[in-house]
Structure formats: C-alpha cells, structure tokens
Amino acid sequence: MSEEKDVVDYSLNNPDTLTKYKTAGQISEKVLAAVSKLCVPGEKIVDICQKGDKLIEEEIAKVYRGKKINKGFSHPTTVSPASYITPYTPLTSDESEASIEIQPGEPIKIQLGAQIDGFGAIACDTILAQPKDKADEVVSGRPADLILATHYANELLLRLMVPPGLLAQGTDEEKAKAAAQKAPTQARITSLLEKVCEAYDCHLVESTTSWLFDRNEIEGAKKIVLAPAEGTKGEGVPELQEVWGVEMGVSLGSGKVKTLDQRATLHRRTTQTYGLKRPTSRKILSEVQKKFGTFPFSLRQLEDERDAKSGVVECVRGNVFRQYELVGDKDNAPVARLLTTIAITKNGITKLGGPPTLDVSKFKTDKKITDEEVLKILEQPLARNTGKKKSKGKKKKSAKKTAARAEESDDDSDDSE
C-alpha cells in the first residue's frame, strides 16, 4: 500500500466511507429492480446482462461528477438459470450460450454491483420468471417452498450476523451479560439455517460463503461458510464497523454442487505479478486494470471479446486473473440465491444493497417453520429503533404473525433501516 493510502481513514469511522458504500448500494438496487423486469420467458440472457451493465454505467455517471474518484463495477450483471449456483454471464461470440433464453417459471438469480472509490456493494435476488401479464399471480407448490425457504433462511442469517449484545436492552448488567455471550459458531449457524430449509423440504447449497468486504476487496480476511464441503471452513466472526457480503443459497435438491462443463467467463484480477508473453494477454490485463481494478468482470465487457478469450488463458495460468468456475446443482434441481451487502454499526445492521423485501403474501404453501428457537430469532430486530414509533408498532404486530404462521415476515418493515 502507498503512503497516501495509509494516511486516509477508509474504515467506517470515516462518514464518507459509509456514504460511498450507500451510494454504490443504491445504484445496485435500482439497476437490480430494472433488470428483474427484463427477466421474462423468451428473453436472451446475454441481452439482459448487456442491458444491466449499461444501466450500471449510466447510474455511476450520475454520481460524484467532476471529482477525481474511481468508480465503476463491483460485479458485472449476471443472470443464472434454474440449476446454476454461481453467477453466469455468457459471451456474445459464443453462439450456443448467446442463444440461451429464460424459461417460464424458472428461478433466475440476478447479481450485480457498483463501487465508488473502491467501496463496492453487491446485490443478488432470485425471481421466478413469469410473463408480464402473470407477474402478480400467487405462486404455490415447490417454487413457493424454494422462495420462502431462501427468504427466511436469509432473514435468520442476517440476524445471526449481529454481534452479541449489540442491540441488548435492559439494565447495564443485562447488557453486559448479553455482550459477554459468544457469537454463534459457523456449525451452529448452519444447523439453525438447516432447520429453516427442512421446514420447506429444501437444503442449503453446499459451501455458500459470506465474505468480509474492504476497500477494493470483496473476499476479505474473514468468511462464513455454510454447509461446508470437505476441506473448507470459515474464518472469524462478524464485528462492529465491518462490511459484509451476506449470501444465502437454497436448493430444491440435495444442495450438493458440481462444476459445469462450460467456459468460465467471470474473472478477477489478483495481486500477483507475472511476465505475460502474449500481446493479447498484456492488452487485456491493461484494460482490466483501468476498467475494473480488482473487482470481478466478464470477458463480455472487454473491448474485443475474441482477444479476451485467447488472452485470458495466459493470465489465468500465470495467476494474474482468478477464474470463477461455473457451478450448478448436482441434481440439476432449481436453486435460489440472495446476496446482501451490510454494514455492522453501533445501531445494528444497515443494509447497503440487496434484494427487495419479499411480498410473502404472493407465495402459498402448506409448510411452515415450527422450531421455536428459529422463530424467536426471526422476531429479533436487525437494527436499533431510532425513533420511528409507527414502524416499531408494525414490527411487534408482524412478529406475532411470524410466530403464528411462517408465511408472514416478522419485521420486513424494519429491513431498510
């Protein structure tokens, strides 16, 4: 790191840092909403990805105008079909992939993000692809099970990210006792989330990982790994003044994963240096450094897609680029994913960018969460109430509904705080 970077405080102690994260998050959410409307049956995935990227560029151009500040993508627009787990972004030059269309009713995972001054916010939502004239119809059966399981598992995970005692109320002694409790282990987190999934006859997606975010970094020193595969484990617990990318993945199948036999099109520059020999390799490395820094990018976003496909090979071999392999459900079962960028502040969880609040009334199932411990955690707030008395009343009322029947969300009205 340069001396200049050492002088500037890039932590959340600097109000500008949180402002930049929030600005990036607002852009991510706005574009996510627009891209969601494009995901209707018959539309080509590659076209949607291109339109999403253009929207991100347009929104980024509107903020921090005239200031010498780096801004751009924290994640390209990716649109993943039903059984795909990882972000998918096909190339226009690959005819077979460029022709892939969205199928009726399939769960589509949309992931994208913006960054301002290296502070990136990434958001991912899962929608069920429906024709526009059927968009408001109530969803039932297994698709409803999948969406509700993912929603409630995500709500539970977000509450488990709150450091012990942070939102404790009562006497000083009671607050101190709450703060002295240990954060749940990752095995404990997985166990609780599995109870939610089991209620809807679903499974956690193997090795779903939440990462600590930092400036120019979306895979920091800490990570939480859910349902870890053999040989993988998480490191560290969430703490005050941290930013995290919180991910949830749920499958209608076993949750086990497999590598798909398709070209990897999503990459990211590493901090490694290597003497690249091919002119095309040096060309795309230079382009990536200027456009994307160390954030993920799609080969589709580079100036010459064909040069990118040939030049990237040496970059990956020399560990200059990290290649994101395409992973899907081992049983080819439908999968849903959510990703929320959060800041942990003294008032609790602040959602910087993520999926919109789910209207659970549009999803009907005969299944529900019955585990008392899970229901109790779901009733807990994500953040300290800061004077919004009306919303507090709504929160208490809806929490009771959650305990009564799991089709209702406990405090969705509080999620935007």
Side-chain angles (χ1 to χ4, degrees):
M1 294 178 73
S2 68
E3 289 183 10
E4 183 184 350
K5 286 183 180 178
D6 289 337
V7 171
V8 180
D9 181 8
Y10 290 120
S11 74
L12 290 184
N13 291 321
N14 184 345
D16 286 345
T17 295
L18 193 56
T19 299
K20 289 169 182 173
Y21 268 124
K22 284 182 176 179
T23 303
Q26 287 163 1
I27 291 171
S28 301
E29 289 187 350
K30 183 175 182 179
V31 177
L32 180 65
V35 173
S36 295
K37 292 178 181 177
L38 301 175
C39 292
V40 294
E43 289 295 317
K44 288 185 171 62
I45 286 178
V46 70
D47 292 343
I48 297 170
C49 290
Q50 287 179 310
K51 289 175 183 177
D53 286 350
K54 187 178 179 183
L55 287 171
I56 292 174
E57 288 173 342
E58 289 172 356
E59 292 300 321
I60 286 168
K62 297 175 184 178
V63 300
Y64 289 89
R65 288 181 174 181
K67 296 186 179 182
K68 290 184 178 179
I69 194 167
N70 172 42
K71 54 184 181 175
F73 291 84
S74 62
H75 198 282
T77 306
T78 60
V79 177
S80 305
S83 64
Y84 286 50
I85 293 168
T86 48
Y88 177 59
T89 169
L91 305 182
T92 56
S93 59
D94 187 321
E95 289 185 18
S96 61
E97 292 201 17
S99 64
I100 295 176
E101 296 179 353
I102 289 178
Q103 302 303 307
E106 70 173 332
I108 295 291
K109 282 76 66 180
I110 306 161
Q111 183 163 316
L112 51 82
Q115 62 89 6
I116 306 293
D117 197 21
F119 300 108
I122 301 175
C124 176
D125 190 21
T126 296
I127 64 163
L128 296 175
Q130 302 286 7
K132 290 181 180 178
D133 60 343
K134 294 185 177 180
D136 293 326
E137 289 187 2
V138 173
V139 176
S140 60
R142 295 300 279 152
D145 292 341
L146 177 63
I147 297 299
L148 289 172
T150 309
H151 167 69
Y152 286 116
N154 189 60
E155 290 296 309
L156 186 68
L157 177 57
L158 288 170
R159 282 155 179 77
L160 295 171
M161 297 288 292
V162 179
L166 184 63
L167 302 179
Q169 296 180 330
T171 64
D172 289 343
E173 186 179 345
E174 288 171 332
K175 290 178 182 178
K177 185 179 179 181
Q181 291 181 351
K182 287 187 177 181
T185 64
Q186 298 192 25
R188 175 72 175 145
I189 293 172
T190 294
S191 175
L192 288 167
L193 294 170
E194 282 175 342
K195 289 181 180 180
V196 175
C197 293
E198 285 168 7
Y200 293 95
D201 196 17
C202 297
H203 287 91
L204 283 175
V205 171
E206 183 179 37
S207 297
T208 296
T209 305
S210 299
W211 290 93
L212 176 70
F213 281 9
D214 208 337
R215 188 166 183 256
N216 296 314
E217 181 56 80
I218 59 164
E219 294 182 6
K222 295 181 185 179
K223 61 182 177 180
I224 293 172
V225 183
L226 307 175
E230 192 173 340
T232 61
K233 64 176 183 176
E235 300 163 17
V237 296
E239 295 180 85
L240 196 61
Q241 299 294 83
E242 290 182 343
V243 173
W244 282 75
V246 182
E247 183 167 4
M248 177 51 57
V250 175
S251 168
L252 283 180
S254 66
K256 299 296 182 183
V257 306
K258 65 179 178 182
T259 301
L260 302 178
D261 187 23
Q262 286 177 260
R263 178 196 299 274
T265 60
L266 192 67
H267 295 76
R268 181 176 173 226
R269 184 169 70 83
T270 69
T271 55
Q272 295 289 323
T273 55
Y274 178 79
L276 297 171
K277 296 177 175 62
R278 296 180 55 141
T280 51
S281 304
R282 294 197 295 271
K283 176 188 169 187
I284 67 165
L285 173 60
S286 176
E287 186 181 355
V288 166
Q289 287 174 322
K290 289 175 185 175
K291 286 185 179 178
F292 308 106
T294 54
F295 288 103
F297 64 93
S298 168
L299 297 182
R300 176 180 45 75
Q301 294 176 293
L302 300 180
E303 191 176 310
D304 189 318
E305 205 175 276
R306 294 186 186 278
D307 274 358
K309 285 197 289 188
S310 61
V312 74
V313 176
E314 186 185 10
C315 292
V316 171
R317 193 169 57 232
N319 200 28
V320 175
F321 289 169
R322 176 191 162 185
Q323 180 171 286
Y324 288 87
E325 300 290 350
L326 269 172
V327 173
D329 187 90
K330 194 173 183 179
D331 309 317
N332 294 322
V335 170
R337 283 180 54 250
L338 300 174
L339 198 157
T340 312
T341 303
I342 65 166
I344 305 173
T345 71
K346 63 181 181 180
N347 289 322
I349 298 286
T350 297
K351 290 186 179 181
L352 302 173
T357 301
L358 185 73
D359 182 355
V360 294
S361 67
K362 289 186 177 181
F363 300 88
K364 295 299 180 185
T365 178
D366 58 355
K367 301 178 180 68
K368 63 180 181 179
I369 301 167
T370 56
D371 186 276
E372 289 298 327
E373 184 179 14
V374 168
L375 290 171
K376 188 176 180 181
I377 297 172
L378 284 171
E379 285 186 17
Q380 295 171 7
L382 281 172
R384 184 175 283 110
N385 189 283
T386 52
K388 297 178 183 178
K389 292 183 180 179
K390 288 184 179 179
S391 66
K392 184 177 181 181
K394 287 180 183 178
K395 184 172 66 183
K396 283 184 177 179
K397 186 177 178 181
S398 59
K400 290 178 182 177
K401 288 183 181 179
T402 302
R405 68 169 193 260
E407 287 89 358
E408 293 293 331
S409 176
D410 63 309
D411 65 348
D412 282 340
S413 62
D414 190 45
D415 283 353
S416 61
E417 288 185 13

